[in-house]
Amino acid sequence: MNNFLTSKTQVINIGLASFSPPIRSHGGTSVDLEWRPPAEGNSASGLALAQLMSDGKINAANQVALERYQAAQPILVGVGVAREELKGLGPRMLLHSGPPIAWENMCGPQKGAVLGAIVFEGWASTLLEAESLVAHGEVKLDACNHHSAVGPMAGIISPSMPVWIIENTTHGNRSYCNMNEGLGKVLRFGANGPEVIERLVWMREVLGPTVKSILQHLGPVALGPLIAQALHMGDEVHNRNAAASGLFFKKLTLAGLEILAKLDARKLKDTLAFIAANDHFFLNLSMAACKVMLEAADGVENSTMVTVMARNGVDFGIQISGLKGRWFTAPAPFVEGLFFSGYSQLDAARDLGDSAITETAGVGGFSMAASPAIVQFVGGTPADALANTRRMLQITLGQNSAFTLPALNFGGCPAGIDVRKVVDSSILPVINTGIAHKLAGIGQIGAGITHAPLSCFVKAVEALALKGVN
Amino acid sequence: MENTQHFLTGYYRDSVALMQLSSKLAAQEGIASASAQMATAANLELLVNAGLLDQVVPARPNDLLLVIRASTAEHGQAAFEFAKKTLDEKPSGGGPEKPEPPRSVEMALSAHPESNLVLISTPGEFAAAEALKALKQGLNVMIFSDNVSGAQEVMLKTYARDHELLVMGPDCGTSLIGGVPLAFANVVAAGAIGVVGASGTGIQQVTCLVDALGEGISHAIGTGGHDLSEEVGGITMLSALDLLAHDNNTEVIVLLSKPPARSVALKIIAAAKLVPKKVVICFLGAVEQLDGSNLSYARTLEEAAMLAVGLLRPSRKLSLTGRLVREKNQLDPHRTKGFVRGLYTGGTFCYEAQILLQSALGEVYSNIPTKGVKKLPDLWTSVGHTILDLGDDVFTRGKPHPMIDPSTRNERLLKEALDPQTGLIFFDLVLGYGAHEDPAAGLVEVIRQARESAHKGGRRLEFVGFICGTTKDPQGFEKQASTLRGAGVILAQSNAHAAEMVQYLVTGRLL
């Protein structure tokens, strides 16, 4: 029997706030919702969402997906060559960040990076020749995420590039990421001049093999605890990786010196110097670790957990566990932030790169509370950083106790974005990110904060509703 | 002594946090000593030196090592469970903070898990989705919004019935649950009369009259205006009747409706017959009745209130008969010439007036005609005797309801005054939460203007009105009444009473 009449009347009030005071003054309670029409005001989608909310099967599926993500153990097992490690990477194929996109539709920095990679691979000797090749379809393009890989910014992975190999030892799946080139004129921001190609060649010839040897001596490196530690040291392992890069450098240095006899001393010194000079060196490991954890959660029927968020500078795309492999896209947003001297919002490309995989996994913007330095990009305070993390708790399925945040009283980071909660509350996933110049080759011009666009989440809800819960 | 070791993967913790955990563990019942450390080589050596480990085991620096020395295996296991629970615990907040304002029912419920009702007054197209989310989380719902489709109403009410929940509305203007007013409600005394109404103003009228008679209301449950339609089948009225039947505070039940679907009215009466309490039924315009020893039928809302009070207090002698005979000296039927114009803000009052007046007045027009009444051809121009519901969508488009914003009625009243055929204007004045803060003040100003314009045309206008409200309402019943009386309005006690006066003034005959 409904005990409504015998209980104290405790109201959640949606709409006219003037209804609340009389309720309160006559012994009831009333909470006013800060309500806005869900699903961007599309009432049919809103009703479809309502059908999916509180669904037992979806909730159970999400529990499975979340547990798989949490149980995943991302372990760095080595460095390999992309063409040998990545399944389905064809001999004349380049991988790029974000959802799939045709050459002619790519943004400036991604185009620049594609051309640079073609020259780097030796398929063309000039950029002009490279452009003709790709324009004639003689170079295949595909999304990194289709190959269990991720790449920051333009996210180009070409067949001969060295890649990090991360294995999830719990479920046995692997993920991959290219190695970080540092700041300035770099391929991931679309730079493709001779010094960029030269650096890529050095990374292929020296950095990759040297780190590979060191790792062979060091053995598997568990990335989870390293990320956990870095989160207590002021990183959020997306836009700030200083601590994690330092921790990783410590591991490599000692192991490298231990096998000095087997290595070329000059190459070791250059390798360590290159890593030491780059506070973002760990980003690519962080991304691959997040990817391998989320891929473990992918493909759980009926699950509404987001497993990919990725951008190509034109589109922002997401994937959800219950609709494995399907992209739901919306125009990529611009990033709000600080610009290096001489640049402004007018120069900025739209949000770019696979690095939002970190937010998808609960770090990055979701763990902003761990990294108050980041909010300074948007003139925020540590309190804002904490508020951002708390807000993300409202759209996630749980908290990852492997990644604790001091500011949350050592509670776990918000983890497992539920596409339903996003559409219901219109709270958008927050993303910390760098800003690329919209033209190829200029590089990073700033950094800041952006939000995933609501409409891709609405599309995912609509697709789920159409498919139905089984 | 039971000595156990547990390696936990995926729990990197700061050494300070682990020291805290160690001391909490050591304080558990039956625990001699305990340690929680990351299993680094250095920590393992410390454990051996401290005598907690017999020998150095291979280091697993990324894993958390729990070492527990307990008096029994059970105590050891309990301490281990405690450690796991502590490690998995959610945070309890991070210092002073402003809580995130809830954006969704789910968020509000998680912050206020004791909630039991969601009150929805969003634009109609979004109301069903919010209601469904609420129901799926086990919450009762009141939908003030209108423009919810019949199919959605049936879907929501069927779900609610199957899950022992209540959906009040859509288009539910009033409810009063255990003294708590929801949306447009009057402040009435608490008491033993429970009301279920498919009519917002109907509930307001009955609860106010019960209050005026010195009794009170346990609960008044609005069902929404479409509940007794064929399509919806009275799902909410049946559920609400059942709740009141089982409610210890309710002794007499009143069921109200605007003109209902015949089959639904009969279904509800049949259910009411089985209730072990007295039930007063007031289904306006319904003629069919089933006999039942516990059932009484009221023709008007006023009669329903009076019957309910009489059933609750059999010693009280209450009667409406002869009221006008006593009052008729103050009324002069010969002064009223021309047609009457009823300008209502409450839809149910409009129906009730049509039903009461149509036989006496002959041809009557309305925008919401009941049986025997004609549809007004041009809603903006009254003809003959016209009785209007100015709360109807056609009059309010883009404007608030005339109970909140009286301008729609004020304009119409002035227009009627200019019509040389108009002799009498009658109206309702609704008080309570949600209604205009001082509705009489503006109305008497318009009445003065109307009298003036009639006077210029050499005519005389009569005004009859009644107040639906109580002395406890925020607007103040007495203040509103004296304002109206000051403007020469003939004040009735109820809508039915007003209709009687109108009839007498026009025809010189008593009802």
Side-chain angles (χ1 to χ4, degrees):
Chain A
M1 185 88 196
N2 190 340
N3 63 1
F4 179 49
L5 298 186
T6 50
S7 314
K8 183 172 168 181
T9 304
Q10 314 226 47
V11 178
I12 295 170
N13 184 30
I14 314 178
L16 298 171
S18 61
F19 286 163
S20 282
I23 293 170
R24 294 186 193 119
S25 63
H26 287 82
T29 66
S30 187
V31 185
D32 294 319
L33 279 200
E34 198 179 291
W35 185 84
R36 65 205 69 190
E40 299 178 303
N42 180 329
S43 58
S45 304
L47 194 60
L49 168 72
Q51 305 277 6
L52 300 175
M53 295 299 285
S54 312
D55 182 280
K57 281 184 179 163
I58 292 178
N59 291 352
N62 283 342
Q63 213 45 51
V64 171
L66 186 68
E67 275 164 18
R68 288 178 64 86
Y69 147 82
Q70 277 178 328
Q73 294 295 327
I75 311 288
L76 170 62
V77 294
V79 171
V81 178
R83 91 167 73 75
E84 291 161 12
E85 304 295 335
L86 271 67
K87 285 189 199 77
L89 177 60
R92 275 222 174 178
M93 186 189 274
L94 296 179
L95 304 184
H96 61 78
S97 58
I101 185 168
W103 158 255
E104 59 271 23
N105 298 329
M106 281 181 169
C107 68
Q110 200 161 50
K111 277 188 166 170
V114 164
L115 299 182
I118 291 173
V119 172
F120 162 69
E121 288 294 337
W123 302 334
S125 48
T126 67
L127 295 171
L128 216 60
E129 231 179 276
E131 186 161 2
S132 157
L133 272 185
V134 70
H136 286 90
E138 286 171 44
V139 174
K140 288 201 164 62
L141 300 169
D142 198 11
C144 289
N145 272 288
H146 292 175
H147 303 267
S148 301
V150 278
M153 300 314 282
I156 301 301
I157 300 178
S158 68
S160 73
M161 278 185 187
V163 289
W164 297 113
I165 305 167
I166 315 298
E167 182 166 322
N168 161 20
T169 50
T170 310
H171 306 101
N173 58 312
R174 284 186 168 196
S175 72
Y176 312 91
C177 189
N178 52 17
M179 297 176 89
N180 198 286
E181 309 159 78
L183 290 171
K185 292 210 179 301
V186 287
L187 189 76
R188 71 176 187 281
F189 284 102
N192 50 23
E195 76 274 33
V196 175
I197 308 300
E198 243 167 68
R199 189 189 303 108
L200 289 173
V201 170
W202 175 83
M203 288 170 74
R204 176 173 66 196
E205 307 303 331
V206 178
L207 179 70
T210 306
V211 174
K212 181 178 178 172
S213 302
I214 297 173
L215 287 177
Q216 276 165 354
H217 174 67
L218 186 60
V221 178
L223 295 178
L226 218 158
I227 290 171
Q229 217 177 334
L231 289 173
H232 287 198
M233 296 168 74
D235 282 0
E236 38 69 279
V237 297
H238 180 175
N239 215 3
R240 191 178 154 94
N241 287 283
S245 298
L247 293 169
F248 187 60
F249 177 79
K250 282 205 296 186
K251 285 185 189 292
L252 290 185
T253 305
L254 191 62
L257 292 173
E258 281 167 2
I259 55 163
L260 187 55
K262 283 195 264 174
L263 296 173
D264 179 318
R266 169 80 194 269
K267 286 181 177 172
L268 177 63
K269 179 193 162 281
D270 287 352
T271 293
L272 292 175
F274 180 80
I275 297 170
N278 181 4
D279 275 351
H280 275 298
F281 192 73
F282 188 78
L283 170 64
N284 301 43
L285 285 163
S286 159
M287 286 171 58
C290 292
K291 175 67 182 169
V292 90
M293 293 167 72
L294 288 162
E295 210 163 73
D298 202 10
V300 178
E301 180 157 35
N302 299 324
S303 169
T304 55
M305 180 170 147
V306 178
T307 50
V308 174
M309 292 198 291
R311 322 78 108 196
N312 57 31
V314 176
D315 292 323
F316 190 111
I318 66 165
Q319 296 190 358
I320 60 172
S321 174
L323 296 172
K324 189 176 162 78
R326 281 184 65 178
W327 287 98
F328 302 98
T329 63
F334 285 101
V335 181
E336 186 197 345
L338 292 181
F339 292 86
F340 302 156
S341 322
Y343 298 105
S344 75
Q345 189 69 58
L346 295 173
D347 304 308
R350 288 172 184 270
D351 194 18
L352 176 64
D354 287 334
S355 56
I357 197 75
T358 56
E359 278 80 14
T360 320
V363 289
F366 281 48
S367 290
M368 210 184 293
S371 190
I374 288 291
V375 280
Q376 297 180 97
F377 283 121
V378 288
T381 63
D384 296 329
L386 178 58
N388 270 317
T389 291
R390 285 193 184 287
R391 197 167 301 125
M392 295 305 105
L393 287 170
Q394 304 296 342
I395 55 169
T396 45
L397 295 165
Q399 291 173 268
N400 187 348
S401 52
F403 298 151
T404 62
L405 306 179
L408 285 188
N409 279 356
F410 299 98
C413 67
I417 303 168
D418 184 344
V419 81
R420 297 175 302 173
K421 291 173 189 269
V422 174
V423 178
D424 192 22
S425 65
S426 303
I427 295 176
L428 303 175
V430 63
I431 295 166
N432 293 342
T433 195
I435 305 173
H437 198 288
K438 64 184 175 186
L439 300 177
I442 295 176
Q444 184 170 8
I445 59 167
I449 292 175
T450 191
H451 293 90
L454 182 54
S455 62
C456 43
F457 296 85
V458 175
K459 286 174 187 167
V461 160
E462 287 165 350
L464 273 165
L466 196 65
K467 176 179 167 279
V469 179
N470 300 308
Chain B
M1 261 318 141
E2 294 285 331
N3 206 350
T4 53
Q5 298 157 18
H6 310 268
F7 284 94
L8 299 174
T9 300
Y11 287 95
Y12 172 82
R13 292 291 185 277
D14 182 82
S15 60
V16 183
L18 292 176
M19 283 164 72
Q20 283 181 345
L21 178 59
S22 303
S23 76
K24 279 189 198 164
L25 275 178
Q28 298 292 301
E29 196 191 342
I31 303 301
S33 54
S35 153
Q37 308 244 34
M38 297 311 290
T40 61
N43 285 338
L44 291 171
E45 208 175 302
L46 284 173
L47 287 173
V48 174
N49 292 344
L52 279 163
L53 271 187
D54 299 335
Q55 57 185 38
V56 174
V57 293
R60 293 166 60 175
N62 297 317
D63 293 346
L64 198 164
L65 172 60
L66 287 176
V67 181
I68 298 168
R69 185 163 288 176
S71 52
T72 66
E74 287 72 33
H75 283 123
Q77 183 59 28
F80 172 67
E81 304 287 347
F82 171 81
K84 274 281 287 173
K85 199 175 131 245
T86 308
L87 287 165
D88 288 332
E89 228 162 46
K90 281 196 175 184
S92 56
E97 48 161 304
K98 218 178 79 194
E100 184 77 12
R103 302 263 204 104
S104 62
V105 172
E106 189 182 42
M107 281 175 75
L109 185 60
S110 104
H112 304 275
E114 66 290 348
S115 305
N116 57 4
L117 174 71
V118 175
L119 173 54
I120 300 167
S121 54
T122 65
E125 60 177 312
F126 305 113
E130 296 307 322
L132 182 58
K133 284 181 265 190
L135 291 170
K136 288 179 115 184
Q137 290 174 92
L139 297 167
N140 301 290
V141 171
M142 172 163 162
I143 308 171
F144 177 83
S145 320
D146 54 9
N147 294 319
V148 175
S149 75
Q152 289 182 342
E153 179 169 351
V154 171
M155 179 267 291
L156 294 171
K157 289 187 168 178
T158 306
Y159 184 97
R161 181 185 56 198
D162 295 347
H163 293 80
E164 293 199 350
L165 293 167
L166 201 59
V167 173
M168 298 179 275
D171 202 12
C172 176
T174 308
S175 282
L176 188 69
I177 304 300
V180 176
L182 299 170
F184 283 22
N186 299 91
V187 185
V188 299
I193 296 172
V195 182
V196 186
S199 149
T201 40
I203 289 178
Q204 288 186 277
Q205 174 81 96
V206 170
T207 56
C208 288
L209 291 174
V210 165
D211 181 88
L213 288 167
E215 291 301 329
I217 299 298
S218 56
H219 310 282
I221 302 171
T223 65
H226 323 293
D227 193 61
L228 272 66
S229 65
E230 202 78 56
E231 186 177 14
V232 182
I235 295 175
T236 297
M237 187 167 278
L238 290 170
S239 301
L241 174 65
D242 190 44
L243 286 179
L244 290 180
H246 289 87
D247 178 49
N248 292 332
N249 294 327
T250 303
E251 291 175 40
V252 175
I253 298 170
V254 181
L255 302 180
L256 306 174
S257 179
K258 290 186 253 201
R262 178 180 170 272
S263 64
V264 181
L266 290 176
K267 178 161 73 174
I268 285 167
I269 293 170
K273 216 174 139 173
L274 303 175
V275 169
K277 293 181 182 179
K278 300 280 187 198
V279 181
V280 178
I281 293 162
C282 176
F283 291 164
L284 294 176
V287 282
E288 281 178 282
Q289 303 182 348
L290 299 177
D291 286 336
S293 58
N294 68 328
L295 302 182
S296 316
Y297 291 88
R299 203 169 61 99
T300 67
L301 298 166
E302 183 180 40
E303 198 185 350
M306 196 154 287
L307 280 174
V309 172
L311 289 166
L312 185 67
R313 305 279 177 246
S315 59
R316 286 187 66 172
K317 299 285 169 253
L318 299 168
S319 171
L320 295 169
T321 331
R323 170 167 61 183
L324 219 55
V325 177
R326 292 191 297 278
E327 290 166 347
K328 71 177 188 179
N329 297 334
Q330 287 126 54
L331 302 172
D332 181 358
H334 309 296
R335 290 200 314 205
T336 307
K337 308 276 185 274
F339 292 115
V340 305
R341 303 284 152 86
L343 304 179
Y344 281 105
T345 62
T348 304
F349 294 141
C350 181
Y351 281 123
E352 192 180 46
Q354 289 178 58
I355 291 163
L356 292 173
L357 288 172
Q358 60 172 342
S359 57
L361 297 183
E363 207 166 68
V364 174
Y365 293 85
S366 177
N367 60 320
I368 51 163
T370 57
K371 207 159 56 183
V373 171
K374 293 199 162 115
K375 177 89 179 173
L376 188 63
D378 170 11
L379 298 182
W380 305 96
T381 313
S382 302
V383 292
H385 297 301
T386 293
I387 306 176
L388 294 174
D389 171 19
L390 295 168
D392 192 15
D393 291 346
V394 290
F395 294 115
T396 57
R397 80 177 69 111
K399 277 187 183 176
H401 193 278
M403 283 182 202
I404 307 167
D405 172 6
S407 64
T408 308
R409 178 160 71 181
N410 291 349
E411 285 158 22
R412 185 71 183 223
L413 197 149
L414 287 173
K415 194 171 173 197
E416 300 296 348
L418 288 173
D419 181 349
Q421 295 197 308
T422 306
L424 184 152
I425 293 171
F426 61 107
F427 58 86
D428 58 359
L429 191 84
V430 179
L431 309 184
Y433 290 115
H436 189 275
E437 58 180 14
D438 188 3
L443 187 57
V444 296
E445 188 46 48
V446 176
I447 287 172
R448 280 192 194 101
Q449 290 175 36
R451 281 197 203 283
E452 214 169 285
S453 72
H455 187 73
K456 276 181 194 154
R459 292 175 293 117
R460 182 191 157 76
L461 274 180
E462 209 65 71
F463 288 89
V464 175
F466 75 98
I467 297 171
C468 177
T470 74
T471 53
K472 297 173 281 288
D473 277 330
Q475 295 88 348
F477 187 95
E478 273 316 317
K479 182 183 160 209
Q480 300 296 315
S482 67
T483 305
L484 291 181
R485 275 191 217 103
V489 174
I490 300 167
L491 212 53
Q493 290 158 3
S494 69
N495 187 42
H497 187 204
E500 282 177 50
M501 288 178 162
V502 168
Q503 180 187 322
Y504 180 66
L505 286 168
V506 174
T507 65
R509 292 193 307 274
L510 297 172
L511 274 177

